[in-house]
């Protein structure tokens, strides 16, 4: 029936032809312009609806459409008003365009192109600004989300979900082109990506400006991730951006706005000491989607298997004297111990046995209940509680979860890890931001172990308390802070502060912002001095400041007991004034220049978003709503025979009418394969105290026979000292490329060796180097 144009694998027409993305990075802020090209090849007018992800903290600031020679620029309006204007335009035969943020999750948007006539083309321009998150290795991370995996919505949770049409990522019919321009006051040292890039092209001799783009042949089958590294990245800075000339003085957009970047530098004496206390609660997603591969290049390595290996390293790296527990969650949740237990050889071994048997067999992704259970447990006195949450992030009730985390942030620090393509940036970043921790994303060929151990080092830093921000400004100038209060500070990690500057000063005037805090019982501070001379940078800082304030207001109603109507009114005013999207507003554009009405019934075409997983229909579908129109899904019974055959309960939630993870639970768990990696074999043999035992298992991990490892041992040295030295020499000799993964457990071993006051250490080192074919020096071990 449809002979031309793009088709899905099910032969449905797709009006979206291509997406072109231009990224501009200025230091640690990014401006992203996406151009979506639509083409109606059918013989009837259509409404094209595209539901897609954006970074959770993005500030959408421009939306326009070009049809023929006519450009229509959208306005930000209260959401219901925007929807009504859009619907009214379609009813009267006018072209209209609507862009709105999901009520439930700020990283999902819906774009509706209404009344596109037969044979007509339209070009949609979408612009947003976003901060670049700092990774533990100092890289600045930009992610262009391409994959929109179904989001799990627990039964009974608040609000309707969104209708999403998706296809496997490899079968997306439209194309993506992507290019980036980078500029910074400091030289750009390198750019890395999970996708293939053309070589980095520097634009000046100082290497402070460069361009890069995706290599030809890129498939739209994954999120596009860029990691930008600068030389001397840890430099505090501030930029004062001039206000909008047309805006009213005294308003947010009319006044200058300052963005301050702070990089606290803790004393070396603090950083060299590892905390020996803390309560560590590891919360692992065991939903069915965790059985998927971490990346396309190695389909055998599943997310759950990677998480098991990571938990092994975490448990071996914990300090003696701390407390810990492990939770697994899906539609239900489990915990290894009824309450957190003291870390010892006995409890570590018991936990490791349970970890070995962990499978992705707990159904759907319901993270709210295990978090509530953890927060209701009394904290261990003098042991700061730290949560490590591992999830592929495919949940719909983000706002409920983040509100709960924020409520408990004073007693619980939260570190979050997004696993695989399509993990919700709003959830992963939100957990860390509201929980005073640090977020990491594991995609492509990333090693989960490296990133998680980086975060463990942050967790072992002393907790920073009594944080305050003070401003020293010329007389007549005042600062109104737009950012939420700083709740966490880590060594070398950036803290951002936005503030509106009101009042007049000379161009030569200077200001200063100081962040004071208490570190390990000692008062400390970080400060930045800056010129008050405002520069024109295209309102990027204003929009990010407005977005920060909007996000704070959106969660204020529950915290401060404010009435929802009052909060909504303030958010709508700020959103309309700044031109930045919010949960309560939408962009709407109506083509009023063309007097011709579009004839014929309007046909809806859902543009498919790429997803990573093939899923069948669920046994039931829930009512869904988007753009003011309800879409009811009929029953589908394809999953019912599987449920009956396997005698499992129906799924507890729905994935937009797609199979829930519960169906996967019907599959019998696969037995864990023996550990083949010598590194993980060696780590698994370490005792909680930090030592190793001299036995055949250690010899096998080192690639030797028992006789080969026992014979060279110096006579006065005990077997466990010799075994521990051997293990440390092997790690330093063969695994320096992943040092971050074993550095903490090696430090524990060195502390144990020092406590033994063992004789003949030099002879031990020489014999171990000789046996293993290494040349590791005593100083390298820290002995």
């Amino acid at each position: 029936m449809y002979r031309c144009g793009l088709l899905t694998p099910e032969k449905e027409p797709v009006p979206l032809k291509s997406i072109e993305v231009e990224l501009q990075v200025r230091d640690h802020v990014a401006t992203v312009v996406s151009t979506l090209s639509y083409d109606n090849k059918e013989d009837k007018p259509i409404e094209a609806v595209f539901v897609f992800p954006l970074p959770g903290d993005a500030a959408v600031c421009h939306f326009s459409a070009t049809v023929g020679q006519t450009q229509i620029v959208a306005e930000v309006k209260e959401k219901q008003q925007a929807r009504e204007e859009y619907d009214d335009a379609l009813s009267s035969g006018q072209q209209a365009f609507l862009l709105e943020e999901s009520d439930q999750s700020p990283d999902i948007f819906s774009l509706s192109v209404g009344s596109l006539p037969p044979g007509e083309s339209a070009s949609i321009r979408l612009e947003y600004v976003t901060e670049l998150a700092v990774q533990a290795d100092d890289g600045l991370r930009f992610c262009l989300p391409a994959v929109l995996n179904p989001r799990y919505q627990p039964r009974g949770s608040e609000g309707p979900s969104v209708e999403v049409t998706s296809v496997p990522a490899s079968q997306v019919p439209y194309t993506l082109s992507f290019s980036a321009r980078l500029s910074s006051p400091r030289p750009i040292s390198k750019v890395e990506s999970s996708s293939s890039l053309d070589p980095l092209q520097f634009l000046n001799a100082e290497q402070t400006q460069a361009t890069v783009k995706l290599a030809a042949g890129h498939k739209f089958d994954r999120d596009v991730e860029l990691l930008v590294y600068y030389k001397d990245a840890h430099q505090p800075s501030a930029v004062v951006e001039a206000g909008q000339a047309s805006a009213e003085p005294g308003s947010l957009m009319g006044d200058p706005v300052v963005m301050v970047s702070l990089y606290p530098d803790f004393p070396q004496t603090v950083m060299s000491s590892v905390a020996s206390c803390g309560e560590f609660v590891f919360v692992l997603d065991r939903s069915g989607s965790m059985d998927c591969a971490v990346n396309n290049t190695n389909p055998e390595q599943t997310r759950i298997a990677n998480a098991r290996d990571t938990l092994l390293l975490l448990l071996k790296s914990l300090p003696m004297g701390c407390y810990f527990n492990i939770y697994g969650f899906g539609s239900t949740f489990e915990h290894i111990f009824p309450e957190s237990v003291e870390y010892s050889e006995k409890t570590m071994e018991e936990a490791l046995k349970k970890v070995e048997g962990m499978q992705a067999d707990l159904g759907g992704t319901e993270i709210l209940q295990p978090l509530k259970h953890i927060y209701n447990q009394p904290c261990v006195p003098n042991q700061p509680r730290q949560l490590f949450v591992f999830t592929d992030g495919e949940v719909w009730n983000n706002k409920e979860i983040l509100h709960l985390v924020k409520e408990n942030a004073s007693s619980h620090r939260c570190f979050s890890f997004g696993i695989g393509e399509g993990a919700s940036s709003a959830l992963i970043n939100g957990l860390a931001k509201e929980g005073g921790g640090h977020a990491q994303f594991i995609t492509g060929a990333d090693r989960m172990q490296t990133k998680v151990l980086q975060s463990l080092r942050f967790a072992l830093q002393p907790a920073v308390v009594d944080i305050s921000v003070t401003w020293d400004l010329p007389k007549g100038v005042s600062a109104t802070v737009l950012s939420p209060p700083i709740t966490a500070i880590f060594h070398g990690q950036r803290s951002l502060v936005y503030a509106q500057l009101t009042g007049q000063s000379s161009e030569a005037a200077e200001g200063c912002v100081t962040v004071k805090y208490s570190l390990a019982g000692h008062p400390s501070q970080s400060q930045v001095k800056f010129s008050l001379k405002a520069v024109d940078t295209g309102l990027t800082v204003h929009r990010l400041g407005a977005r920060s304030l909007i996000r704070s207001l959106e969660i204020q109603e529950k915290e401060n007991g404010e009435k929802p109507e009052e909060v909504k009114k303030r958010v709508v005013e700020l959103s309309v004034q700044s031109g930045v999207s919010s949960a309560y507003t939408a962009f709407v554009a109506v083509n009023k220049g063309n007097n011709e009405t579009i004839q014929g019934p309007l046909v809806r075409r859902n543009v498919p978003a790429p997803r990573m997983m093939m899923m069948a229909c669920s046994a039931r579908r829930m009512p869904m709503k988007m753009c003011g129109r309800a879409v009811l899904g009929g029953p589908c019974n394809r999953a019912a025979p599987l449920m009956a055959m396997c005698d499992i309960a129906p799924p507890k939630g729905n994935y937009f009418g797609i199979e829930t993870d519960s169906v996967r639970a019907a599959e019998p768990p696969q037995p864990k394969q023996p550990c083949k990696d010598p590194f993980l074999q060696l780590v698994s043999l370490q005792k909680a105290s930090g030592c190793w035992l001299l036995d055949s298992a250690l010899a096998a991990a080192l690639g030797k026979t028992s006789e080969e490892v026992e014979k060279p041992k110096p006579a006065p040295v005990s077997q466990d000292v010799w075994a521990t030295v051997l293990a440390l020499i092997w790690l330093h000799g063969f695994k320096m490329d992943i040092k971050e993964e074993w550095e903490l457990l090696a430090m524990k071993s060195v502390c144990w060796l020092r406590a033994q006051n063992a004789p003949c250490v030099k002879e031990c080192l020489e014999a171990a180097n000789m046996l293993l074919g290494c040349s590791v020096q005593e100083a390298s071990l820290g002995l």
Side-chain angles (χ1 to χ4, degrees):
M1 183 174 176
Y2 303 103
R3 295 288 182 184
C4 56
L6 300 170
L7 301 175
T8 67
E10 288 74 30
K11 307 303 180 192
E12 283 290 317
V14 179
L16 177 60
K17 293 193 303 181
S18 64
I19 301 176
E20 179 183 345
V21 177
E22 296 176 358
L23 166 70
Q24 181 154 6
V25 175
R26 292 189 185 96
D27 205 5
H28 50 250
V29 169
T31 301
V32 186
V33 177
S34 298
T35 304
L36 296 85
S37 298
Y38 287 84
D39 200 356
N40 183 6
K41 294 290 188 181
E42 302 184 55
D43 57 3
K44 54 180 74 68
I46 63 170
E47 177 192 27
V49 180
F50 185 28
V51 179
F52 59 97
L54 284 181
D57 55 357
V60 177
C61 53
H62 176 86
F63 174 57
S64 62
T66 301
V67 181
Q69 300 300 311
T70 306
Q71 184 186 41
I72 314 111
V73 178
E75 296 179 70
V76 179
K77 298 190 177 181
E78 189 277 326
K79 186 175 281 187
Q80 190 56 39
Q81 180 187 348
R83 288 174 173 174
E84 288 173 2
E85 282 191 24
Y86 176 80
D87 286 340
D88 289 347
L90 296 195
S91 300
S92 60
Q94 290 178 298
Q95 284 181 323
F97 308 87
L98 181 72
L99 178 72
E100 58 180 322
E101 178 185 310
S102 157
D103 294 330
Q104 288 296 314
S105 189
D107 62 344
I108 296 183
F109 281 74
S110 173
L111 168 60
S112 300
V113 177
S115 293
L116 191 61
E120 187 70 87
S121 298
S123 177
I124 309 297
R125 179 184 168 95
L126 168 67
E127 182 176 334
Y128 65 86
V129 291
T130 185
E131 301 163 1
L132 300 186
V134 183
Q135 300 301 283
D137 65 352
D138 300 334
L140 291 170
R141 180 181 186 265
F142 168 77
C143 180
L144 175 70
V147 174
L148 180 53
N149 285 330
R151 301 288 173 86
Y152 182 89
Q153 181 171 8
R155 184 176 295 173
S157 62
E158 299 175 7
S161 59
V162 178
E163 180 185 13
V164 171
T165 301
S166 56
V167 296
S170 60
Q171 298 179 10
V172 173
Y174 43 89
T175 59
L176 170 73
S177 63
F178 176 87
S179 61
R181 183 185 178 101
L182 318 173
S183 62
S184 170
R186 296 173 293 281
I188 302 160
S189 57
K190 63 177 178 176
V191 175
E192 296 178 348
S193 177
S194 56
S195 305
S196 296
L197 300 175
D198 285 345
L200 187 68
Q201 301 289 327
F202 288 106
L203 303 179
N204 60 1
E206 296 78 20
Q207 297 190 343
T208 57
Q209 296 184 35
T211 60
V212 69
K213 62 181 180 179
L214 283 176
H218 173 80
K219 292 182 179 178
F220 201 19
D221 61 351
R222 73 196 77 166
D223 296 345
V224 177
E225 182 184 63
L226 280 188
L227 292 170
V228 181
Y229 296 85
Y230 298 128
K231 293 177 182 174
D232 303 319
H234 290 190
Q235 298 299 315
S237 64
V239 57
V240 178
E241 184 180 75
Q244 198 170 18
S246 59
E248 184 181 340
S251 67
L252 172 60
M253 300 307 288
D255 282 342
V257 170
V258 60
M259 178 176 67
V260 180
S261 305
L262 291 155
Y263 284 90
D265 194 11
F266 295 175
Q268 186 58 39
T269 51
V270 174
M271 293 307 300
S272 60
S273 62
V274 174
S276 59
C277 65
E279 180 188 356
F280 299 89
V281 181
F282 304 113
V283 187
L284 176 62
D285 189 340
R286 287 176 54 190
S287 62
S289 54
M290 288 289 288
D291 220 12
C292 297
V294 177
N295 59 67
N296 293 335
T297 57
N298 185 11
E300 301 301 316
Q301 180 70 0
T302 63
R303 299 172 185 179
I304 191 69
N306 214 342
R308 282 195 301 261
D309 292 344
T310 303
L311 281 173
L312 166 67
L313 279 168
L314 280 169
L315 288 172
K316 296 294 183 176
S317 300
L318 291 179
M320 296 295 286
C322 74
Y323 285 72
F324 78 102
N325 203 352
I326 300 174
Y327 281 68
F329 70 90
S331 299
T332 59
F333 67 90
E334 301 173 352
H335 39 74
I336 289 182
F337 304 106
E339 58 187 23
S340 293
V341 295
E342 187 170 358
Y343 180 72
S344 66
E345 182 64 30
K346 180 176 181 294
T347 56
M348 183 194 75
E349 288 297 335
E350 186 176 345
L352 283 174
K353 285 179 182 175
K354 297 281 181 66
V355 168
E356 284 179 9
M358 284 184 173
Q359 303 292 333
D361 56 2
L362 291 185
T365 312
E366 298 193 27
I367 191 173
L368 194 62
Q369 294 310 313
L371 287 178
K372 284 181 178 178
H373 186 271
I374 292 166
Y375 290 138
N376 286 331
Q377 299 290 310
C379 294
V380 181
N382 302 316
Q383 303 280 352
R385 184 176 285 173
Q386 322 232 30
L387 273 63
F388 280 60
V389 179
F390 302 85
T391 179
D392 49 20
E394 295 152 9
V395 298
W396 193 248
N397 55 337
N398 278 351
K399 292 187 178 180
E400 288 179 87
I401 294 166
L402 298 184
H403 176 67
L404 179 68
V405 171
K406 188 174 181 64
E407 273 188 325
N408 293 275
S410 61
S411 56
H412 297 67
R413 198 154 58 163
C414 185
F415 296 83
S416 54
F417 306 90
I419 305 170
E421 305 290 340
S424 165
S425 63
L427 176 67
I428 304 305
N429 286 326
L431 285 170
K433 189 172 185 179
E434 305 300 346
H438 190 265
Q440 299 261 33
F441 288 85
I442 297 107
T443 58
D446 290 343
R447 284 182 65 88
M448 185 189 298
Q449 295 85 343
T450 300
K451 295 203 168 187
V452 173
L453 269 295
Q454 287 169 345
S455 291
L456 181 59
R457 292 193 72 90
F458 286 140
L460 290 170
Q461 288 181 17
V464 171
V465 295
D466 301 329
I467 302 171
S468 65
V469 179
T470 56
W471 297 81
D472 183 10
L473 299 168
K475 188 175 181 181
V477 180
S478 61
T480 303
V481 178
L482 307 173
S483 317
I486 298 174
T487 57
I489 293 177
F490 297 107
H491 171 74
Q493 287 294 293
R494 183 191 67 201
S495 295
L496 276 180
V497 181
Y498 296 95
Q500 176 183 346
L501 300 178
T502 305
Q504 298 294 323
S505 66
S506 68
E507 287 199 349
E510 285 195 340
C512 178
V513 61
T514 304
V515 178
K516 297 181 180 179
Y517 49 91
S518 180
L519 174 66
H522 302 288
S524 301
Q525 67 176 39
S526 299
Q527 68 176 197
V528 179
K529 294 182 179 179
F530 56 93
S531 167
L532 288 178
K533 183 179 179 181
V535 296
D536 182 6
T537 53
L539 296 177
T540 300
V541 173
H542 280 72
R543 286 162 174 160
L544 287 171
R547 181 61 161 169
S548 184
L549 182 55
I550 285 170
R551 281 284 175 255
S552 298
L553 289 170
E554 285 174 347
I555 61 172
Q556 240 181 48
E557 56 186 271
K558 289 184 179 179
E559 287 184 351
N560 301 339
E562 293 190 41
K563 294 181 179 179
E565 305 82 38
E566 294 176 4
V567 175
K568 179 180 176 180
K569 183 180 177 182
R570 291 169 64 193
V571 169
V572 169
E573 287 176 355
L574 183 58
S575 178
V576 171
Q577 179 196 139
S578 63
V580 167
S581 60
S582 76
Y584 300 125
T585 53
F587 286 88
V588 63
V590 178
N591 186 1
K592 298 176 181 177
N594 188 351
N595 294 323
E596 292 183 16
T597 58
I598 296 166
Q599 304 296 322
L602 192 63
V603 179
R604 178 172 169 136
R605 295 295 180 217
N606 294 322
V607 177
R611 72 170 186 270
M612 291 302 293
M613 296 166 290
M614 285 290 290
M615 289 191 174
C617 294
S618 66
R620 61 169 59 187
R621 295 185 66 181
M622 307 288 285
M624 297 169 287
K625 191 174 184 181
M626 173 55 71
C627 306
R629 289 177 292 279
V631 183
L632 295 175
C636 174
N637 295 317
R638 288 200 298 177
L642 175 62
M643 291 180 187
M645 206 165 44
C646 300
D647 194 26
I648 63 171
K652 292 191 175 182
N654 83 305
Y655 265 121
F656 304 141
I658 303 176
E659 174 201 25
T660 71
D661 282 331
S662 308
V663 178
R664 281 183 174 267
E667 301 172 9
Q670 299 298 313
K672 186 176 185 295
Q673 297 300 312
C675 179
K676 300 282 177 61
D677 184 348
F679 168 64
L680 293 176
Q681 273 187 301
L682 183 73
V683 168
S684 70
L685 298 172
Q686 189 190 34
K687 298 299 179 183
S689 62
C691 74
W692 274 266
L693 301 183
L694 191 65
D695 56 19
S696 58
L698 176 66
L702 297 174
K704 304 290 181 182
T705 65
S706 296
E707 185 181 0
E708 284 175 322
V709 297
E710 290 170 7
K711 191 174 180 181
K713 181 183 78 68
V717 175
S718 67
Q719 289 194 337
D720 47 2
V721 167
W722 170 240
T724 303
V725 170
L726 279 173
L728 286 172
I729 293 289
W730 190 89
L731 289 171
H732 281 83
F734 298 104
K735 291 297 173 182
M736 286 299 289
D737 58 324
I738 54 170
K739 184 181 179 182
E740 284 181 309
E741 297 182 22
W742 52 261
E743 192 170 23
L744 288 173
L745 63 88
M747 286 171 63
K748 191 161 62 166
S749 298
V750 169
C751 289
W752 180 86
L753 281 172
R754 285 181 185 147
Q756 306 311 303
N757 199 20
C760 308
V761 171
K762 285 191 176 181
E763 289 86 338
C764 259
L765 293 177
E766 289 174 5
N769 274 316
M770 180 86 63
L771 173 65
L772 298 174
C774 301
S775 54
V776 179
Q777 301 300 310
E778 185 176 358
S780 302
L781 297 180
L783 289 170

